[in-house]
Amino acid sequence: MTIQFLQHTYFFPMMIHGFGFLSLSASLVLPWALTGLVAGERMTESLAKDVRQSFTDQEIPLPSRKLISAIPTKTTYYVSSNGNDRNSGLSTSSAFRTLDRAANLTDPGDTVLIMNGVYNNTSQVGTVLDIKRSGKANAWITYKAYPGHRPKLQSNGWHGVSISNGASYIEVNGLEIIGNNSNITLGYAQNQQNNKSNPLTNGNCITIDGEKNRLTHHIRILNNKIHDCGGGGISVMESDYVTVDNNEVFNNAWYSVFACSGISLITSRNYDNSQNYKMVVTRNKVHNNQMLIPWIQNKKFQDGNGIIVDSHRRFGYKGHTLIANNISYKNGGSGIHTYESEHVDIVYNTAYLNNQTPVINYGQIMSNYSSDIKVVNNILYSAPNRPISLINQSPNSTFNYNLYNNNGSRQIAVGPNDIMADPQFINPSIGDFRLKRGSPAINRGFRWNNLKTDALGNPRVYGSASDRGAYEMRY
């Protein structure tokens, strides 16, 4: 069986990733000995005979969260929509008006507390929050919502939040970043489909940009609501040690000419030579990110993924990437996708009814021109007669211990311990992908030693074995 793929040549604008295919037969790499098995569990003899590569059960540590909690606060700045940039910014009653006023003053260890209100970019080519100053390993700079507040960063420029110029040891926490999609019609965007310079259609919500030899590293994007940007939701370029955790990312990538996605990690670069988990995407809800305008390079629709790990081979990236406990649904491309990347563990995710773009047939989770990709303990739910999973030209990669829905979709990547069944979600129509009591995904996975909790932060194993998918049910 031959699958026709699209050729995708890279173009690097200020925010975006590339991704694509050649016209080749699907290459399947099936079982191998999985890491992380519960003590005492053994592969069957027949499975062992099919092993292509054996390796030991190695613990790959996650980046420590204790760094931030142990940071002594140096200065706290306050920003309010009712503030004034002539104020001192040192109390709620003397708050600054703009985020950049505070950002331009920060030193290692400082915190910027953002109060209720709407914050806008001051010019159409500008950014609502432009971060260019760095913290230190023991003194991060933190931008977060004032306790109990829900500030909104509304952008019609190139970026809602930009982290660049080598800025590192930065945390962005608890903000709502909103793009310009509500002010754009599809007809207007189609008229702009050859315009690379229009921020109204191409702007990103969050851009982490380590290009031009100004490597950004040690960045945390936590607990944010990120939506309605014509470009990418969270676009991470040429960076290292980036954690994207517990965000909701939706309605992005619609109008850009640059082929964007909800969350993209593109061309990661080495801050050091560690082979631990350094790029971490966990516990995010990613939905309705889709290309409505073709990529300017080839006039094709081929991205709009929920989450993509893209071209990590370009700079010889050595770190491991963890994609875990995410819920990725109703995106235009894959729910989760790798392209020309290595050492990516995709575990305990739920991918549901992706491939919303009619010409895209990548499956809910796809490994494309990649290697050492482990797709384990996930739930993949596809529309009828649409592919569920796909491995293409990806040696030493596997799908195993996953659950596929049994709606007659064709499967291209199937492991020996994968099962086909109705996962019995509680209410997927409203985005509730928890499992009903009696779901065949419950107690049917195996313990992944490198991951201790589920999408809600609950202990990962409850019962005789772990559950498949993003949630560990307490039945």
Side-chain angles (χ1 to χ4, degrees), residues 250-304:
F250 61 98
N251 293 355
N252 302 295
W254 290 2
Y255 298 134
S256 176
V257 304
F258 294 125
C260 303
S261 291
I263 300 174
S264 62
L265 311 177
I266 180 171
T267 56
S268 293
R269 292 172 54 207
N270 295 298
Y271 170 74
D272 57 27
N273 291 323
S274 171
Q275 297 183 28
N276 294 328
Y277 287 132
K278 299 200 289 178
M279 306 298 280
V280 176
V281 180
T282 50
R283 303 193 307 151
N284 301 284
K285 275 195 169 184
V286 188
H287 55 99
N288 201 33
N289 303 284
Q290 181 175 2
M291 289 176 64
L292 302 179
I293 300 299
W295 188 38
I296 195 169
Q297 290 296 98
N298 60 11
K299 302 303 180 184
K300 297 181 184 296
F301 296 89
Q302 52 193 78
D303 279 80

Side-chain angles (χ1 to χ4, degrees), residues 145-158:
Y146 184 87
H149 286 219
R150 296 182 178 180
K152 301 178 187 296
L153 281 61
Q154 175 79 59
S155 172
N156 65 358
W158 280 112

Side-chain angles (χ1 to χ4, degrees), residues 387-439:
I388 294 179
S389 56
L390 182 61
I391 295 178
N392 179 60
Q393 299 295 312
S394 296
N396 301 320
S397 300
T398 192
F399 286 62
N400 210 346
Y401 284 91
N402 302 296
L403 184 147
Y404 304 97
N405 63 307
N406 56 355
N407 66 354
S409 301
R410 55 194 177 92
Q411 307 85 43
I412 298 176
V414 180
N417 297 290
D418 290 340
I419 58 176
M420 293 197 65
D422 180 356
Q424 300 180 32
F425 296 126
I426 287 180
N427 193 346
S429 66
I430 61 171
D432 188 347
F433 294 96
R434 294 174 298 160
L435 304 171
K436 295 178 180 178
R437 188 184 298 272
S439 165

Side-chain angles (χ1 to χ4, degrees), residues 40-293:
E41 183 174 353
R42 295 290 183 269
M43 296 285 187
T44 63
E45 182 178 354
S46 60
L47 173 59
K49 290 179 179 178
D50 288 333
V51 169
R52 300 285 183 93
Q53 176 185 2
S54 63
F55 49 90
T56 60
D57 179 7
Q58 296 180 346
E59 291 279 350
I60 303 177
L62 287 164
S64 173
R65 292 185 178 277
K66 294 181 179 179
L67 266 175
I68 294 178
S69 63
I71 294 171
T73 300
K74 183 179 179 182
T75 301
T76 298
Y77 295 104
Y78 298 84
V79 183
S80 168
S81 60
N82 297 317
N84 190 314
D85 281 353
R86 295 181 179 179
N87 290 339
S88 69
L90 298 177
S91 69
T92 57
S93 60
S94 62
F96 293 137
R97 174 62 183 89
T98 64
L99 298 171
D100 281 352
R101 177 73 173 105
N104 291 334
L105 294 174
T106 53
D107 289 317
D110 288 353
T111 297
V112 177
L113 293 178
I114 306 168
M115 302 168 72
N116 279 337
V118 177
Y119 301 87
N120 303 100
N121 46 297
T122 55
S123 70
Q124 199 170 82
V125 295
T127 298
V128 183
L129 173 56
D130 194 6
I131 301 171
K132 294 183 177 180
R133 295 167 69 94
S134 292
K136 295 181 179 179
N138 65 343
W140 290 52
I141 297 174
T142 302
Y143 297 83
K144 63 182 181 181
Y146 184 87
H149 286 219
R150 296 182 178 180
K152 301 178 187 296
L153 281 61
Q154 175 79 59
S155 172
N156 65 358
W158 280 112
H159 318 281
V161 175
S162 173
I163 303 173
S164 64
N165 198 44
S168 301
Y169 302 105
I170 301 294
E171 178 181 318
V172 176
N173 193 334
L175 309 180
E176 182 173 1
I177 298 114
I178 309 164
N180 193 52
N181 284 357
S182 64
N183 299 315
I184 297 295
T185 65
L186 179 59
Y188 175 82
Q190 289 171 333
N191 287 333
Q192 296 293 306
Q193 64 182 311
N194 294 311
N195 188 352
K196 301 176 184 179
S197 302
N198 189 347
L200 297 177
T201 53
N202 295 308
N204 281 359
C205 282
I206 296 181
T207 302
I208 301 171
D209 183 359
E211 295 181 326
K212 299 179 181 178
N213 296 316
R214 298 305 302 270
L215 177 68
T216 50
H217 57 88
H218 292 89
I219 308 293
R220 297 186 189 276
I221 307 297
L222 312 176
N223 309 312
N224 302 287
K225 187 175 182 180
I226 299 163
H227 59 99
D228 288 284
C229 286
I234 302 173
S235 294
V236 183
M237 301 177 291
E238 297 190 25
S239 301
D240 201 3
Y241 285 101
V242 177
T243 294
V244 179
D245 179 69
N246 199 37
N247 303 281
E248 184 175 12
V249 183
F250 61 98
N251 293 355
N252 302 295
W254 290 2
Y255 298 134
S256 176
V257 304
F258 294 125
C260 303
S261 291
I263 300 174
S264 62
L265 311 177
I266 180 171
T267 56
S268 293
R269 292 172 54 207
N270 295 298
Y271 170 74
D272 57 27
N273 291 323
S274 171
Q275 297 183 28
N276 294 328
Y277 287 132
K278 299 200 289 178
M279 306 298 280
V280 176
V281 180
T282 50
R283 303 193 307 151
N284 301 284
K285 275 195 169 184
V286 188
H287 55 99
N288 201 33
N289 303 284
Q290 181 175 2
M291 289 176 64
L292 302 179
I293 300 299

Side-chain angles (χ1 to χ4, degrees), residues 1-75:
M1 177 178 178
T2 300
I3 303 173
Q4 295 297 319
F5 298 106
L6 301 173
Q7 177 76 29
H8 194 127
T9 304
Y10 274 82
F11 171 78
F12 289 99
M14 63 191 304
M15 64 192 74
I16 322 301
H17 60 270
F19 145 89
F21 305 84
L22 299 173
S23 177
L24 293 169
S25 298
S27 173
L28 306 185
V29 181
L30 291 178
W32 46 284
L34 296 169
T35 66
L37 292 174
V38 175
E41 183 174 353
R42 295 290 183 269
M43 296 285 187
T44 63
E45 182 178 354
S46 60
L47 173 59
K49 290 179 179 178
D50 288 333
V51 169
R52 300 285 183 93
Q53 176 185 2
S54 63
F55 49 90
T56 60
D57 179 7
Q58 296 180 346
E59 291 279 350
I60 303 177
L62 287 164
S64 173
R65 292 185 178 277
K66 294 181 179 179
L67 266 175
I68 294 178
S69 63
I71 294 171
T73 300
K74 183 179 179 182
T75 301

